[in-house]
Amino acid sequence: MGKPVTLKDHYNEARIYTNRTWLALFVVFVLIFTLIGRIGYLQIFEYDTHITKSDQNRINVQAIPPTRGLIYDRSGILLADNRPNYSVSIIKERVDDIDQTIDEVSAILTLTTSDIERFKKRLKRRRRPYEGIPLRFNLSEEEIARVAVNQHQLPGVEIEADLVRHYPLKHIAAHTIGYVARINQKDEQRIDANRYAGTHHIGKIGIERYYEDHLHGEVGVQKVETNARGRILSVLERTDPTPGQDLHLYMDIPTQIAATASLTNRRGAIVAIDPTTGGILAFVSTPAYNPNLFVTGIDHKSYNALNQSLDRPLFNRTIQGQYPPGSTIKPFVGLAGLDYEVTSWDFSILDPGFYRLDNDRHQYRDWKKWGHGKVNLVTAIRQSCDTFFYDMSYKLGIDNLHDFMAPFGFGRKTDIDIGNEQTGLLPSKAWKRRRYDLPWFPGETLIAGIGQGFMLATPLQLAVATANLANRGHLIKPKLASTQSRTKEEHRSVDTPKLEKDNLQNNELKTGTENQVSDDMSDNVIAHESKSILGQTDSGEKRTLENVTLSEEENWQLMFDAMESVVHHPKGTARKIGIDSKYRIAGKTGTAQVLGIKQDEAYDAEKIDERYRDHALFIGFAPADNPQIAVAVIVENGGGGGSTAAPIARIVMDSYLHNTWQKEHTQKEIKEDAVASVKNQ
Amino acid sequence: MQSKDFLRRLPEHGSPVTQQIRVWQAIHLDGPLLFGLTLLIIIGLFVLYSAANEDMQVVTKQASRIGVGFTVMIVLAQIPPYAYRRWTPWLYCMGIMLLIAVLVTGIDAKGAQRWIAVPGFPRFQPAELMKLAVPMMMSWYLADRTLPPAIRPILASLVMIACPAVLIATQPDLGTSILISCSGIIVLLMAGLAFRYILAGVALAIPAGSALWMTMHDYQRGRVLTFLDPLREPLGAGWNIIQSKTAIGSGGLTGKGWLNGTQSHLDFLPESSTDFVIAVLAEEFGFFGVFGLLIVYAAVVCRGLYIGVQAQDTYNRLLAGSIILTFFVYIFVNIGMVTGILPVVGVPLPMVSFGGTSIVTLMAGFGILMSIHTHRKLVSG
């Protein structure tokens, strides 16, 4: 500042302050009169309105939960349904002594200690006043009647009706669909409390969790007048909830059922993909569990039984199980060898039954002790010759192998629309340096070339890679939920009973059956659906998918022919499934070691504990000349890929190609059949 | 010149009035202020007893906090104002450091980091300290400047307000952040901030606000709209307002009588003993009850403004003015919020709402006011 420093003028400052004080006093009085005016307005002018609301009736705001969207398979078979469920709950504000009330209720109903424990836990949580706290679910007709008869002695005890999720197919596709369960404290942190004000359940896992926003819908609100005892006298204002949108899966339930059955009681996984769309046709992980157990709360004993079982039924093997892919990767390694020109279709070696590196005494053994004799690439694929691939991958080098296979989907998440996916592992020199700070050894390349060693893949990754192969390098992104919109009739073929728990307070049990989705509403749903889908695919495609191109385009077909000979050639490792097949299958078997076999030992299944036996694998697609289904099968400790896994893949392909695919293209009967079959259950 | 005023105000030696003043001076308390505050506290405890559903434990707990508050007030009133002035910058810096510490190591309570725990001390909120430290710092800074303040001190003051305000807003505690900013701005206004700057500030706020609005995401806009109009969200904040309006309105002229408020006693009114306590008073004592309470508040504010005018230097004046006007802002914001004319900001009703920290901070402020008033040199030598 250029101005000279002015001295402080104390008198002037005091004067300014006094003036400002008068001003402040004026403002204070204006504001006080504003408050007095406002309170006067409420208490004098609006007195009649408020005293009516407050004195005879009391205003209550209640949340109306939206109806959760249903889940269907590709042909309209219902996979997740909403069913009315009656529960008894206690309204804390109307009860003097909670413990005594619980005692009285337990005199009429059977209450387990865990019911009471969970009730007490819920009691401690934050909630709005006059919201019932559930004590027991799944009341039978008789129990409802017993509570109703004793109602006058139990103030504050109410029967509430809820729509509760039901999975009619039980353990079929349990891992895929997942389940909903009661919102717990952990969930409360990830949700908007107001949006879930009336909702008691939330998707915990699987499709139910991934598409939670899509399925949930928007909460409705009603302002009601209640009398002093909480009985609703009238509804003043009402905003209807927006029901959740339905979801259609690509899954073909007949195929899914056939696939699940084909695994019988073994531990394993099956993934079937439609290579033209990336839609998942079957997604099986066995053993499975009954998701209905979780919906209203699973008891400790059943949960522990599931959780501690050695067979791990809660584990979704399709996306969480990471297995050595074994020989199933040989077609990919073969294409890599051709593309990097370290081998050709004419090149052949003489296989003595083992392979040895120049400066290493270690023998890398072939599965066939005495060797395959003279083998070229076609016979090496057909008979799964290890020695040929040891030689080729040694020439190829691990980094070339890694770079060629990565685009097919190995070693990274497929970004399928379900959570908890594992990445698998596609090793490279850089990875090993990063992970173990160790150099890469040439021997590790050899075993990587036959899908052993560090290499790991999930069944989904194998299926996706197979589909990408069948597509001649045109990459797909696997999707469980179908994104195309449905016609109105298809959209909601099954009427859902609409139940509002708020209308059902005071034990007036009414079951409304009016369909909640009006016609124009479902139009909105469809419009919204297709919009969101466009956004999804856009971002998804941009991110990773860049198609694989080979230097020699004809190598695709030649490799398919080699894979076809695995099934249809008399010497192929999966020849058993090719004998009576009505269509041509291109495939590759795999047998992955679980236990390291010492140099001087021989593998003998009889001597080894069941859990250390080899995993049986098979990948394949069919029809070979026009791929409609790509399948990956893993049977844990199942033994040989050709004997155990391949027949399962055949069952899956048969089910889809004979029944579904053909019929879908000729007549639409299957849909009605399937719907009827489920309804009859 | 000023001494003349005081001489005129002082009656002759030996008269009972003079002696009375001397007694108050000796114990450094202010009679009228003390009387007003006591009245507020008594009203508050009665309302609280009803709001807490006749739970005597709540009342005794609150009474013991008020006891702590009174002790703090009396102790602070003994400290002469020049001491406060000397400590001001240190207090402010310490407050800023504690605010940073709270963001780094603070205790998580109800999803926000506001508390800090020093071993050996009861845990406290540094934001409460800033409620006093900010007006003190502003008064300290402006007292040495030429008043009315020029543009450069104004900008410096705004930075001094913004630092704690931003730190508190990130805790996140938007309500306290706004109130602390208010207390600082009040100092600027009382220091004679020219009207053209006030107008410029208002004029700048409009384009700045709309620019911010344009850059916000939809969900952020939704939050702002809900903040401004809670009825948009009838299951959340709006629920409280619907209930509190009914509670107040149904009180009528004379109220339903003590302990007879149905809205609060049937648990329809949320937060009835803390932020929404005025609704209980309005329901049970009616319009006359609220009017009476507002008169007591107005009397306390007038006494505070009088103390400010009577103060003998700029620092004391500005600090006194800010403390008492901030006190009024609390009253206005709280009652405005409960009656539905202001957005829902978590501000307790001073001296009445249940809650320890706020009452101690308020009493500390009154202690400083009393110190300012009773350490004056009455007769110039």
Side-chain angles (χ1 to χ4, degrees), chain B residues 324-355:
Chain B
I324 199 65
L325 287 173
T326 309
F327 175 73
F328 176 72
V329 168
Y330 282 32
I331 299 165
F332 181 74
V333 171
N334 175 273
I335 301 181
M337 159 183 100
V338 176
T339 54
I341 53 173
L342 287 183
V344 176
V345 195
V347 177
L349 186 64
M351 314 305 292
V352 178
S353 281
F354 182 71

Side-chain angles (χ1 to χ4, degrees), chain B residues 257-275:
Chain B
W258 188 48
L259 303 182
N260 287 329
T262 46
Q263 284 281 313
S264 44
H265 284 266
L266 290 175
D267 278 346
F268 279 101
L269 187 66
E271 308 278 332
S272 61
S273 54
T274 53
D275 290 358

Side-chain angles (χ1 to χ4, degrees), chain B residues 186-250:
Chain B
I186 286 170
V187 178
L188 268 177
L189 293 174
M190 295 305 282
L193 182 67
F195 286 106
R196 61 174 189 278
Y197 291 129
I198 301 176
L199 288 175
V202 174
L204 267 177
I206 294 166
S210 36
L212 197 64
W213 180 259
M214 300 302 284
T215 57
M216 268 195 272
H217 292 292
D218 275 348
Y219 76 92
Q220 288 172 322
R221 287 182 188 175
R223 273 189 205 163
V224 173
L225 286 176
T226 308
F227 175 73
L228 294 176
D229 177 17
L231 296 183
R232 267 171 53 95
E233 210 175 57
L235 294 168
W239 204 81
N240 301 5
I241 297 300
I242 293 169
Q243 297 301 335
S244 74
K245 273 160 72 176
T246 306
I248 295 170
S250 63

Side-chain angles (χ1 to χ4, degrees), chain A residues 1 6-8 10-14 16-18 20-21 23-25 28-29 31-32 34-36 38-40 42-44 47 50-51 53-55 58-63 93 128-130 194 197 219-221 223 226, chain B residues 143 145-148 152 189-190 192-193 195 233-236 239 243 245-246 248-253 256 262-263 266-268 282 286-287 290-291 294 298 302 305 308-309 314 317 321 325 328 332 335-336 339-341:
Chain A
M1 273 198 280
T6 42
L7 285 172
K8 279 182 81 69
H10 289 282
Y11 179 75
N12 188 38
E13 283 183 9
I16 291 174
Y17 185 83
T18 311
R20 286 291 161 114
T21 303
L23 189 64
L25 195 65
V28 163
F29 272 90
L31 293 180
I32 284 184
T34 311
L35 291 180
I36 289 176
R38 173 65 178 170
I39 288 171
L42 289 174
Q43 294 196 310
I44 299 164
Y47 173 71
H50 290 302
I51 193 71
K53 281 182 191 169
S54 145
D55 216 33
R58 328 220 178 268
I59 304 295
N60 210 340
V61 179
Q62 293 174 330
E93 283 77 6
R128 279 189 307 284
Y130 288 92
N194 291 331
V219 66
V221 170
K223 217 169 163 186
T226 60
Chain B
R145 303 288 175 281
T146 316
L147 299 184
R152 212 175 270 196
L189 293 174
M190 295 305 282
L193 182 67
F195 286 106
E233 210 175 57
L235 294 168
W239 204 81
Q243 297 301 335
K245 273 160 72 176
T246 306
I248 295 170
S250 63
L253 266 183
K256 298 174 184 171
T262 46
Q263 284 281 313
L266 290 175
D267 278 346
F268 279 101
F287 182 70
V290 184
F291 192 76
L294 284 174
C302 288
L305 288 175
V309 173
T314 310
R317 267 197 293 269
L325 287 173
F328 176 72
F332 181 74
I335 301 181
T339 54
I341 53 173

Side-chain angles (χ1 to χ4, degrees), chain A residues 365 591 593 595 597 601-605 608 612-615 639:
Chain A
R365 291 180 295 182
T591 305
Q593 274 182 19
L595 193 69
I597 308 290
E601 255 177 13
Y603 174 80
D604 183 352
I608 300 176
Y612 294 112
R613 280 187 209 155
D614 293 345
H615 292 329

Side-chain angles (χ1 to χ4, degrees), chain A residues 391-555:
Chain A
D391 175 60
M392 188 204 295
S393 39
Y394 178 66
K395 290 176 189 160
L396 192 59
I398 186 65
D399 283 346
N400 286 344
L401 189 67
H402 171 274
D403 294 348
F404 184 83
M405 289 186 62
F408 283 93
F410 290 103
R412 65 177 152 85
K413 292 186 180 179
T414 63
D415 284 336
I416 193 172
D417 43 358
I418 187 173
N420 300 333
E421 196 185 350
Q422 290 291 336
T423 47
L425 178 56
L426 183 60
S428 66
K429 282 180 185 165
W431 165 81
K432 198 182 174 195
R433 178 63 72 188
R434 222 174 29 244
R435 176 73 179 75
Y436 294 108
D437 195 23
L438 281 176
W440 185 266
F441 300 115
E444 292 167 337
T445 310
L446 302 194
I447 53 172
I450 61 159
Q452 296 275 171
F454 293 119
M455 194 154 185
L456 292 173
T458 64
L460 174 64
Q461 282 174 330
L462 278 179
V464 168
T466 310
N468 288 335
L469 179 70
N471 277 346
R472 295 167 194 257
H474 176 79
L475 302 186
I476 50 106
K477 188 179 172 211
K479 293 186 285 279
L480 282 164
S482 160
T483 51
Q484 48 187 261
S485 50
R486 300 274 158 143
T487 61
K488 248 174 238 174
E489 305 84 71
E490 279 174 325
H491 199 67
R492 201 176 272 243
S493 48
V494 187
D495 269 9
T496 45
K498 174 196 168 199
L499 275 173
E500 258 162 45
K501 78 178 185 55
D502 303 298
N503 285 347
L504 293 156
Q505 276 195 347
N506 324 311
N507 319 318
E508 294 156 4
L509 294 170
K510 286 183 243 161
T511 314
T513 44
E514 115 196 40
N515 197 330
Q516 224 171 8
V517 181
S518 64
D519 280 354
D520 48 355
M521 180 71 88
S522 49
D523 279 342
N524 288 343
V525 169
I526 290 166
H528 185 83
E529 200 174 79
S530 39
K531 199 177 112 197
S532 70
I533 267 77
L534 278 176
Q536 259 176 21
T537 41
D538 279 353
S539 58
E541 308 263 286
K542 257 183 239 157
R543 215 174 50 83
T544 44
L545 304 187
E546 205 176 289
N547 293 341
V548 181
T549 46
L550 297 184
S551 48
E552 297 285 338
E553 188 64 20
E554 59 173 13
N555 284 341

